[in-house]
Amino acid sequence: DGGITQSPKYLFRKEGQNVTLSCEQNLNHDAMYWYRQDPGQGLRLIYYSQIVNDFQKGDIAEGYSVSREKKESFPLTVTSAQKNPTAFYLCASSPVGGGRGYNEQFFGPGTRLTVL
Amino acid sequence: KNQVEQSPQSLIILEGKNCTLQCNYTVSPFSNLRWYKQDTGRGPVSLTIMTFSENTKSNGRYTATLDADTKQSSLHITASQLSDSASYICVVTSNDYKLSFGAGTTVTVRA
């Protein structure tokens, strides 16, 4: 059963704590992405990785960090430097390029992070 | 700046009725446009994709249209069902594979 899994589904964090969100895929996709979703706004790209051991900042990378040690895994750490971390976080994956013009991203079920 | 604007922000329809969602974009150069459906608390799922040369694409009761000249797209839902209650997101991709996401339209179908 192929797909993308994210854990946990809900996460609560105290101010000043770092937390790590898990994302795993078994679709054999090379590219993986992290997005943040806030009410009334479109998804915003945090980080993305096109290949193992390489990743690039997206539009809102400040206060976040990632690693890509395995093709299947792309964990996101929300650090204490992120001033407004409460949001819905979505992980996605796609074949590299997805073929010219066809780059469908497959999304995981998301993690809702709440800072207490 | 590449932008994607969706309207309305939300709408409520009765079960069995039709509705149309709008998407206007300024993304250039244009590669393709997708409509995603996102159920509450879940990740988005692709409904349709259209490239520059395609002006309509159907997926069951969902029909998307594209006017690349005016940079407008619409998603038409026919004979709505309760399961259609969700957020519908328009995503436009440029030729360098950068995605621009609309804020979405929240559709509520009532019995």
Side-chain angles (χ1 to χ4, degrees):
Chain A
D1 185 24
I4 302 176
T5 58
Q6 292 185 241
S7 62
K9 186 171 179 65
Y10 299 97
L11 186 58
F12 298 90
R13 188 193 95 173
K14 293 182 179 180
E15 285 191 18
Q17 286 182 334
N18 293 353
V19 291
T20 298
L21 283 58
S22 170
C23 177
E24 303 277 336
Q25 55 98 0
N26 61 7
L27 300 169
N28 200 34
H29 287 168
D30 288 307
M32 298 187 74
Y33 312 81
W34 273 106
Y35 292 93
R36 171 181 172 139
Q37 187 173 37
D38 295 283
Q41 297 188 41
L43 273 66
R44 291 182 290 170
L45 182 63
I46 303 172
Y47 268 98
Y48 64 101
S49 169
Q50 302 277 38
I51 196 170
V52 175
N53 291 323
D54 187 45
F55 49 83
Q56 288 78 39
K57 293 181 178 180
D59 299 321
I60 55 165
E62 184 175 354
Y64 301 98
S65 66
V66 294
S67 63
R68 187 84 187 278
E69 298 176 0
K70 299 187 300 182
K71 186 176 184 177
E72 302 78 17
S73 179
F74 192 40
L76 173 74
T77 296
V78 184
T79 74
S80 57
Q82 170 50 236
K83 299 305 180 186
N84 185 24
T86 295
F88 189 55
Y89 290 86
L90 286 162
C91 178
S93 72
S94 72
V96 174
R100 180 164 180 81
Y102 282 81
N103 52 340
E104 178 177 0
Q105 293 187 11
F106 296 82
F107 287 86
T111 292
R112 184 164 299 280
L113 172 64
T114 302
V115 174
L116 303 174
Chain B
K1 180 181 178 182
N2 289 336
Q3 289 189 311
V4 178
E5 301 288 339
Q6 292 187 242
S7 62
Q9 185 175 11
S10 62
L11 65 92
I12 300 173
I13 58 173
L14 292 177
E15 188 177 15
K17 299 297 185 182
N18 304 335
C19 68
T20 300
L21 287 54
Q22 299 291 339
C23 174
N24 297 337
Y25 62 92
T26 62
V27 175
S28 181
F30 174 87
S31 176
N32 64 63
L33 183 148
R34 288 184 185 274
W35 283 93
Y36 279 88
K37 178 186 179 186
Q38 184 178 21
D39 292 317
T40 301
R42 307 291 295 175
V45 175
S46 180
L47 291 175
T48 64
I49 177 175
M50 289 176 292
T51 60
F52 184 88
S53 60
E54 298 172 300
N55 56 22
T56 188
K57 186 69 71 75
S58 292
N59 178 358
R61 293 178 296 100
Y62 300 102
T63 299
T65 65
L66 173 65
D67 186 334
D69 291 332
T70 62
K71 297 188 177 181
Q72 296 179 324
S73 176
S74 66
L75 180 68
H76 186 76
I77 305 175
T78 303
S80 61
Q81 300 177 358
L82 297 178
S83 60
D84 293 330
S85 294
S87 180
Y88 293 84
I89 301 171
C90 176
V91 185
V92 182
T93 304
S94 58
N95 277 345
D96 56 357
Y97 298 111
K98 291 184 178 178
L99 277 62
S100 297
F101 291 82
T105 293
T106 300
V107 174
T108 302
V109 181
R110 290 188 174 163

